Amino acid sequence: MLLEPWTDADLGLERLFNTPEMTAHNGGPRPDEEIVARHHRYLALPADGEGQIFRVHLPGEPEPVGSIGYWTKEWRGEPVYEMGWMVLPGHQGRGIATAATVAAAEHARVAGKHRSAHAFPPVANTASNAICRKAGFKLVEECEFEYPKGNFLRCNDWRLFL
């Protein structure tokens, strides 16, 4: 598995994630203008020093199979990194997201900006909660979490000290 920095060419990958299947736990597909705006935020993260999004590649696969990233967020009065990931359906269940999460967390640790990273998968998203556990995150609590803006979810707050 290889992580490569997000580029302008990755807008198509972001659109592949915007399906009912891929967004079932996060409020459903978003309008294209929101996808484009998010893509531009992803591109700006490294220059702003606020995080990094990566596309995930597998050896021998010509196209990326997912994405992983971290970005600065204020949580409970403290600046932290938030982490999130997506793996295309044909590649799920193979440990790719867990390996990518571990690698991206190491990148965040080396960046050295925040003490911890958090992930907020919905309580009902058993696969993403398992990724957190396998990647070494510790469950802090259930919480109400807004994602995307205006959509409130019952999530687990998982924390990884960097």
Side-chain angles (χ1 to χ4, degrees):
M1 188 253 342
L2 174 66
L3 300 185
E4 294 181 339
W6 198 259
T7 69
D8 200 44
D10 293 315
L11 178 58
L13 179 59
E14 187 67 13
R15 285 182 170 132
L16 287 177
F17 298 145
N18 194 39
T19 66
E21 179 181 16
M22 294 291 294
T23 61
H25 291 286
N26 297 325
R30 309 307 302 161
D32 194 60
E33 59 269 12
E34 287 184 33
I35 300 304
V36 171
R38 181 170 54 210
H39 172 69
H40 288 291
R41 286 192 307 274
Y42 286 178
L43 292 171
L45 286 171
D48 295 343
E50 296 298 320
Q52 178 72 57
I53 306 297
F54 301 96
R55 64 183 171 274
V56 178
H57 282 274
L58 296 178
E61 294 277 340
E63 297 297 323
V65 298
S67 70
I68 178 74
Y70 62 92
W71 51 92
T72 297
K73 176 183 187 57
E74 182 82 16
W75 182 247
R76 307 282 195 235
E78 177 184 1
V80 301
Y81 285 126
E82 180 181 349
M83 294 188 76
W85 51 84
M86 290 279 205
V87 173
L88 293 169
H91 300 281
Q92 293 174 1
R94 297 171 37 197
I96 296 165
T98 301
T101 300
V102 168
E106 176 60 15
H107 192 275
R109 186 193 67 74
V110 170
K113 188 168 183 173
H114 303 305
R115 292 177 0 153
S116 64
H118 289 250
F120 301 95
V123 171
N125 188 337
T126 56
S128 283
N129 282 284
I131 289 163
C132 291
R133 188 175 46 261
K134 291 175 190 174
F137 286 69
K138 302 297 179 210
L139 181 61
V140 177
E141 65 181 345
E142 275 191 32
C143 61
E144 199 72 18
F145 192 78
E146 185 178 19
Y147 181 81
K149 190 166 182 67
N151 184 54
F152 291 89
L153 305 165
R154 193 75 189 151
C155 292
N156 284 322
D157 175 6
W158 291 88
R159 178 179 56 214
L160 178 69
F161 286 109
L162 300 171

